[in-house]
Amino acid sequence: MNPVDLLGKIIEISHSNLEIPSRISSILNIIAQEMHFEEVIVYTFDRDKRLTCKFMNQKSVLFLILNQYRCHIGEGIVGSVAQKRVPQFFTIKDIPPRFGCLFYPDLNGVIEKFKTFSFLPLSDDSYLYGVMVVISSSRETIHDSEKVLLSMLSREIGGILRASELIFSSKKRISELATLSELGKTLTSNIEPHELLKNIALIIARALNATFVTIRLEHTFLKLDSQRFTYGVIEPSIENYVKELEKEAVRTKQAISLGELAPAEHKDSFKLSLYASPMLSKNRMLGTITICGTRSQQDLALEENSQYLIHTIANYISSGLENTLLNTKLRDVVKELGDAQKRLIEQEKFRSLGEMTANIAHEIKNPLVIIGGFTKRLAKKIQFEQTENRYIDIILKEVSRLETILNEILDYVKENPILIEPCNINDCMDEILYLFNSDVTWEQVHIVKEYDKALPSIMCDGQQIKQVFINILMNAFEAMHGSGTISIKTEQIKLDNKTFAAVSITDTGGGIDPAIISNIFNPFFTTKERGTGLGLAISNKIVMNHNGHLEIENVVGKGVTFVVYLPFKNSITKEEFL
Amino acid sequence: MKTIKLLVVDDEENIRILFKEELEEEGYQIELASNGLEAIKKIKESNFDLIILDIKMPGMDGIQALNAIKNVNKDQPVILCSAYGEFKQDFSSWVSDGYVVKSADTRELKQTIKNILHIT
Ligand SMILES: Nc1ncnc2c1ncn2[C@@H]1O[C@H](COP(=O)(O)OP(=O)(O)OP(=O)(O)O)[C@@H](O)[C@H]1O
Ligand SMILES: [Mg+2]
C-alpha cells in the first residue's frame, strides 16, 4: 500500500463509528502489517498520570512484558519522549538501557532480535495523550519519509485519544450532575434528618464507588440518636484514621486526605485512600464527610482530579442539610409550644374551677369562724348546766370539723402548687436567656456562658429557681443600663462536705455602693425610681427554702457577681416549703 | 406596764368584734379598721405595736395593704390573717412577720402575737 492510501485508510478508520479501542487496535494492526513492524504499542496515561501500555498490534510479543510496568513522565525513553514531545529513533546499538521503568537487560532473550526502535509522542497542538512505540526486527534503519509518515499517523491516533478523553470526561461530568441532582432531590424532600443523612451517604458511595462514606455532624443543636451516619463498613483498623482526618478537616476547615496527613515515609504503605471534607454553611461547621476506597481500585474517583467532586458535594449539601436540621428543630419547638398551650388551657380550666371553690370556701369560712368564736365566748361567759355544756361542745366540734374540711379544700385548690422535681439548671438558665434574647431591649447585652455540661440535676421547684435567676439578671441589666456583658457560669462546688450547684452571674454595671450593700436583701429596699425592692428579698427566701444560699462578690467601679448555691441532695418536701 | 396597741383590719364586722373581745381579754388595747385605706390612715395618726391584717378584702387587698404599710414604716410588724393558707406561698406575703390561718380557735393567733412582740 502506498503511503497516501495508507494514510487515507487510517483516517477513514479513525473517523469510523467503531468503539475507540477497536479503532486504535485496527490502526496499529495496519501500521504493523503495511509498514512491516513487529511491534506497534501505544502507551496512554493512567488516572494517576503514569504511562502504561494500553494498546498493541495483534502479533505483539513485547506488550505482555512491558504492560507490567508503568512509568512517570521523564522516566526512561518512553517518559522522555512524553516530556519533550519529540520523536526519538534508535537502533539496537544505540538504544539507552532504560525503556520506561524497565531496563532492557530485563528483556534479555527478547530484545536482541529487534533492530530499530521508534518512539513517537501522541499529541495534538496542546495536549499529550500518550506515546507510540514502533519496533522492527527486519529493518536496519527507518527512512526519513517513513518517519514523517509515522509522525502523521501518531497525530491521528492522538486525535482519537483526545476524542476518547472528551467522551470520558463528559460521561463523568454527566454522572456527577446526576449525582448532584439526586442529592438535590433528597435534600429538598421532607424526610427526617437521619433518613436524609443515610440517603446522602448512600448516593455518594454509589457515585464514587466508595468502600464507605461516613457523615459526622459537629453541630449538636439537634438531639439526634447518633451524630454519625455511615454507608458501608468502617473497619476497626482504620477507625482512628477516620477520626483524625475528621478532626483535622474541622480544625482547618479544609478538605484533607490520608496521604497529606501521614508522614511522607508512610505514604505508600496505605492500601486505602481516605478523604475528609468539612461541610460548612455560612462558615458554621456542620460536620464532615469522609470517603474511603481501596488504592488498587484505579477507578475510585478519589484520586486528585476527582477530589473536587467531594468538595462540591460537601458545599452543596451543607446549606440543604442545615435547612433540614433547622426545620426539624423548628418542628420540635412548634410541637413543644402546642403542648405547652394545651397544658395552659388545662391549667386555666382547673384554675377557674379552683377559684370558684376557693371563693365559696372563703365565704363559708368567715361565718364559721364567727359562729365558733362567739360560741366559745358564750361558753366562757356563762356557767351552763352540764347538758348545755355538752351542746356547746358539739357545736364547737362540728365547727372545727368544718374548718378542717375547708382548709383541706383550700389547700388542695391553691394556685401554684409547689413542684419539687429534678431540674437541669443549665436548661432552666437557657430557657430564660432565650426569652431575654428575643427582647430588643436586651440587644446590647452580651451574654457569655460557661456551663458545666455535666452538672447533675437538682431537686427544686424549677419555676421558683427561674424566678431567682430572672431577678438577678434583671438587676444586672438595670445596673448596666441595658448595655454590657453578663457572664454566667455553672459549676459543682463542695462546701463542708456538701456538694452544691453554683450559678454565678457577673455583670459590668459598676457594682454596689458599700454603704447600702447590707440593705439589699431587705424587703422594699430599692435605689430605683420604679423598683419595689422585693427582687432580692424574694430570691433570698426562695434559695433559703431550697437549703441553699446566695453570695455576693462586689467590685466597686466594675460589677457584681451573685452566686446562687443550691444543694444537690435535698431532703426538703413540699410541706417544708410552707 | 405600757399598754400594747394592736390594729385589727378586717372587712367583716363580726370578725372584728370577735378579735377585739378576745384580744382585749389578753390585755391589749385594740383599734379597728374595716379596710386597707382606713388602716393606712390610722397608722399615720398613731403608732401600733402590731397590725393584724386580713388578706381578702374588697378595695385594697391585704397584700397591697401590707406593701403600703411597709412603705410607710418598713419596721412595722404585721401578721397576715386569712381564711386559708394559700397565701403562705405567695412570694409577697413572705415579707410579713407572721401568718395565721383564721380560725374559731384564737389560740394560734394569740401565740403568734406573743412571739412577735416577745411576750412570755
Ligand atoms: N447587680 C447589681 N448591681 C448594682 N446594684 C444592685 C445589683 N443588684 C441589686 N442591686 C441593688 O440592690 C437593690 C435591691 O435590689 P432588688 O432586686 O431587691 O430590688 P430592685 O431591683 O430595686 O426592685 P425590683 O427587683 O423589686 O424591681 C437595687 O435597688 C440596687 O440598688
Ligand atoms: Mg430587682
Side-chain angles (χ1 to χ4, degrees):
Chain A
M1 214 185 278
N2 69 44
V4 180
D5 287 348
L6 179 64
L7 196 58
K9 178 90 188 137
I10 281 171
I11 289 175
E12 190 186 314
I13 294 174
S14 89
H15 290 91
S16 69
N17 49 14
L18 287 173
E19 289 289 320
I20 283 170
S22 347
R23 274 186 250 172
I24 296 178
S25 300
S26 325
I27 293 173
L28 300 188
N29 281 332
I30 292 173
I31 296 174
Q33 213 173 327
E34 301 295 327
M35 295 178 76
H36 311 289
F37 291 111
E38 274 69 34
E39 301 280 339
V40 186
I41 291 166
V42 163
Y43 279 78
T44 58
F45 288 105
D46 277 340
R47 206 67 58 68
D48 59 355
K49 295 269 183 296
R50 290 219 230 172
L51 285 156
T52 316
C53 294
K54 274 281 166 59
F55 306 100
M56 67 206 161
N57 62 319
Q58 230 167 10
K59 295 191 177 138
S60 165
V61 182
L62 285 182
F63 179 82
L64 285 177
I65 303 168
L66 295 176
N67 173 256
Q68 298 167 40
Y69 306 92
R70 307 193 308 145
C71 64
H72 289 287
I73 294 187
E75 242 180 330
I77 318 170
V78 174
S80 104
V81 168
Q83 191 174 40
K84 296 179 186 141
R85 300 201 192 173
V86 280
Q88 294 187 31
F89 302 93
F90 303 98
T91 65
I92 185 71
K93 294 192 197 84
D94 60 9
I95 185 166
R98 208 142 90 98
F99 206 109
C101 255
L102 189 66
F103 284 93
Y104 71 72
D106 296 346
L107 294 169
N108 264 349
V110 193
I111 195 115
E112 293 81 0
K113 65 174 191 192
F114 296 112
K115 299 210 170 83
T116 59
F117 302 82
S118 312
F119 297 82
L120 298 118
L122 302 172
S123 60
D124 61 12
D125 299 327
S126 39
Y127 286 101
L128 177 80
Y129 301 102
V131 173
M132 180 162 74
V133 184
V134 182
I135 303 172
S136 158
S137 58
S138 53
R139 324 267 308 268
E140 298 284 348
T141 51
I142 307 288
H143 299 300
D144 282 351
S145 63
E146 278 179 312
K147 286 181 185 169
V148 173
L149 183 58
L150 280 175
S151 297
M152 288 167 82
L153 294 176
S154 62
R155 267 187 98 80
E156 201 52 42
I157 297 173
I160 301 176
L161 289 174
R162 194 172 90 100
S164 114
E165 201 132 298
L166 279 178
I167 291 172
F168 177 78
S169 69
S170 57
K171 265 193 191 154
K172 204 171 100 196
R173 191 84 199 117
I174 289 168
S175 93
E176 283 167 13
L177 285 175
T179 304
L180 289 179
S181 100
E182 205 177 338
L183 280 173
K185 259 188 252 153
T186 310
L187 283 169
T188 48
S189 65
N190 204 5
I191 52 175
E192 295 297 319
H194 51 268
E195 277 299 309
L196 174 82
L197 290 166
K198 264 193 220 144
N199 286 354
I200 290 174
L202 170 74
I203 293 170
I204 298 171
R206 272 201 324 238
L208 298 183
N209 193 15
T211 324
F212 67 77
V213 171
T214 180
I215 297 177
R216 205 188 104 79
L217 293 185
E218 279 293 313
H219 220 298
T220 51
F221 77 112
L222 201 65
K223 282 181 186 127
L224 298 174
D225 314 338
S226 153
Q227 297 297 116
R228 183 185 290 291
F229 300 86
T230 306
Y231 173 81
V233 183
I234 307 178
E235 284 202 22
S237 62
I238 59 168
E239 226 165 76
N240 278 339
Y241 291 127
V242 172
K243 283 190 185 141
E244 237 168 87
L245 272 183
E246 284 172 343
K247 236 196 273 163
E248 196 61 16
V250 167
R251 194 179 66 79
T252 60
K253 296 192 176 173
Q254 300 267 326
I256 183 164
S257 69
L258 188 55
E260 287 164 297
L261 188 72
E265 64 267 29
H266 286 182
K267 259 186 192 170
D268 280 329
S269 65
F270 293 115
K271 292 201 179 60
L272 293 161
S273 62
L274 256 187
Y275 187 80
S277 179
M279 297 187 289
L280 291 164
S281 175
K282 298 178 213 99
N283 236 6
R284 193 183 354 214
M285 182 62 65
L286 291 181
T288 51
I289 304 185
T290 305
I291 300 177
C292 175
T294 43
R295 274 234 158 156
S296 57
Q297 239 178 295
Q298 286 186 8
D299 262 349
L300 184 79
L302 280 180
E303 305 301 336
E304 291 160 50
N305 56 356
S306 284
Q307 290 192 348
Y308 93 97
L309 177 61
I310 301 160
H311 207 64
T312 312
I313 291 174
N315 284 337
Y316 186 73
I317 63 176
S318 298
S319 54
L321 186 60
E322 185 169 49
N323 280 346
T324 310
L325 295 180
L326 283 175
N327 268 340
T328 311
K329 176 86 181 165
L330 198 64
R331 265 209 305 263
D332 287 357
V333 171
V334 169
K335 189 175 167 299
E336 235 167 72
L337 269 177
D339 289 352
Q341 197 180 13
K342 258 188 235 147
R343 271 203 308 276
L344 264 179
I345 293 170
E346 286 296 309
Q347 273 172 12
E348 199 49 48
K349 268 195 222 148
F350 184 71
R351 226 174 59 135
S352 46
L353 183 70
E355 238 164 53
M356 201 173 72
T357 318
N359 279 333
I360 294 171
H362 188 258
E363 293 310 311
I364 300 172
K365 184 77 177 275
N366 266 342
L368 195 62
V369 168
I370 294 165
I371 294 168
F374 282 103
T375 311
K376 278 198 167 169
R377 297 202 55 69
L378 196 64
K380 246 194 250 171
K381 287 265 141 73
I382 307 166
Q383 293 298 311
F384 282 113
E385 294 303 306
Q386 259 202 321
T387 353
E388 285 92 344
N389 275 334
R390 235 183 63 229
Y391 296 159
I392 286 179
D393 269 354
I394 289 170
I395 295 174
L396 288 179
K397 262 202 200 108
E398 289 306 304
V399 166
S400 138
R401 187 158 77 102
L402 264 178
E403 270 194 1
T404 311
I405 294 170
L406 285 180
N407 286 346
E408 275 168 7
I409 293 174
L410 289 166
D411 266 350
Y412 183 73
V413 299
K414 71 185 146 211
E415 264 180 48
N416 319 299
I418 287 173
L419 262 180
I420 302 293
E421 54 189 5
C423 274
N424 182 323
I425 293 292
N426 293 339
D427 289 351
C428 279
M429 186 60 93
D430 277 342
E431 278 165 42
I432 297 167
L433 293 178
Y434 180 78
L435 289 179
F436 284 151
N437 262 337
S438 43
D439 183 342
V440 279
T441 58
W442 276 69
E443 236 166 35
Q444 315 259 27
V445 179
H446 181 56
I447 306 261
V448 179
K449 296 196 278 189
E450 192 189 323
Y451 289 173
D452 175 356
K453 296 244 172 61
L455 202 67
S457 293
I458 64 169
M459 292 299 290
C460 68
D461 181 323
Q463 289 310 318
Q464 289 195 4
I465 294 302
K466 275 189 200 166
Q467 181 76 44
V468 172
F469 294 156
I470 289 173
N471 286 341
I472 296 174
L473 286 167
M474 280 308 293
N475 283 346
F477 174 83
E478 285 156 1
M480 305 191 306
H481 302 287
S483 93
T485 302
I486 299 180
S487 313
I488 301 167
K489 183 176 178 183
T490 63
E491 62 196 314
Q492 275 193 65
I493 285 182
K494 208 167 186 153
L495 294 174
D496 311 326
N497 271 333
K498 269 175 88 180
T499 40
F500 290 86
V503 181
S504 315
I505 300 173
T506 307
D507 62 56
T508 55
I512 306 174
D513 179 356
I516 62 156
I517 201 161
S518 60
N519 295 327
I520 61 169
F521 288 107
N522 291 343
F524 306 110
F525 176 83
T526 180
T527 58
K528 297 168 192 169
E529 210 171 306
R530 314 200 53 172
T532 61
L534 285 175
L536 288 178
I538 289 171
S539 303
N540 196 32
K541 192 103 178 190
I542 292 176
V543 174
M544 303 259 265
N545 279 349
H546 281 84
N547 294 333
H549 61 279
L550 272 170
E551 273 178 18
I552 317 177
E553 288 154 32
N554 184 31
V555 186
V556 180
K558 253 185 120 182
V560 192
T561 302
F562 278 87
V563 191
V564 183
Y565 289 91
L566 296 166
F568 285 109
K569 283 220 192 78
N570 216 335
S571 53
I572 40 168
T573 57
K574 203 163 151 181
E575 283 63 41
E576 279 174 72
F577 262 95
L578 296 174
Chain B
M1 200 181 93
K2 177 180 163 286
T3 46
I4 295 171
K5 257 172 84 181
L6 308 184
L7 176 64
V8 173
V9 190
D10 200 304
D11 62 320
E12 191 105 20
E13 190 186 4
N14 285 329
I15 296 275
R16 291 199 296 271
I17 296 171
L18 176 66
F19 282 4
K20 184 174 155 75
E21 290 191 7
E22 287 279 303
L23 294 174
E24 272 173 354
E25 277 179 12
E26 300 288 303
Y28 302 120
Q29 184 189 329
I30 305 296
E31 294 254 345
L32 300 175
S34 63
N35 59 53
L37 288 175
E38 203 184 322
I40 301 289
K41 223 174 92 198
K42 292 222 158 157
I43 61 165
K44 281 185 177 160
E45 284 163 5
S46 58
N47 291 331
F48 292 93
D49 295 281
L50 181 64
I51 298 172
I52 297 151
L53 189 60
D54 178 31
I55 288 182
K56 225 176 176 189
M57 291 182 296
M60 192 191 262
D61 103 342
I63 299 288
Q64 277 172 298
L66 170 69
N67 288 351
I69 291 167
K70 290 273 181 182
N71 263 344
V72 173
N73 174 9
K74 79 174 167 59
D75 297 322
Q76 172 68 61
V78 178
I79 292 177
L80 289 178
C81 181
S82 161
Y84 39 77
E86 176 180 349
F87 285 100
K88 257 193 190 178
Q89 52 167 313
D90 185 322
F91 300 136
S92 33
S93 73
W94 289 348
V95 299
S96 75
D97 304 85
Y99 193 104
V100 177
V101 178
K102 232 185 244 182
S103 167
D105 187 343
T106 52
R107 277 176 301 182
E108 192 192 343
L109 175 65
K110 288 172 186 162
Q111 189 53 50
T112 310
I113 295 171
K114 279 185 181 163
N115 290 347
I116 290 171
L117 298 177
H118 306 290
I119 301 168
T120 39

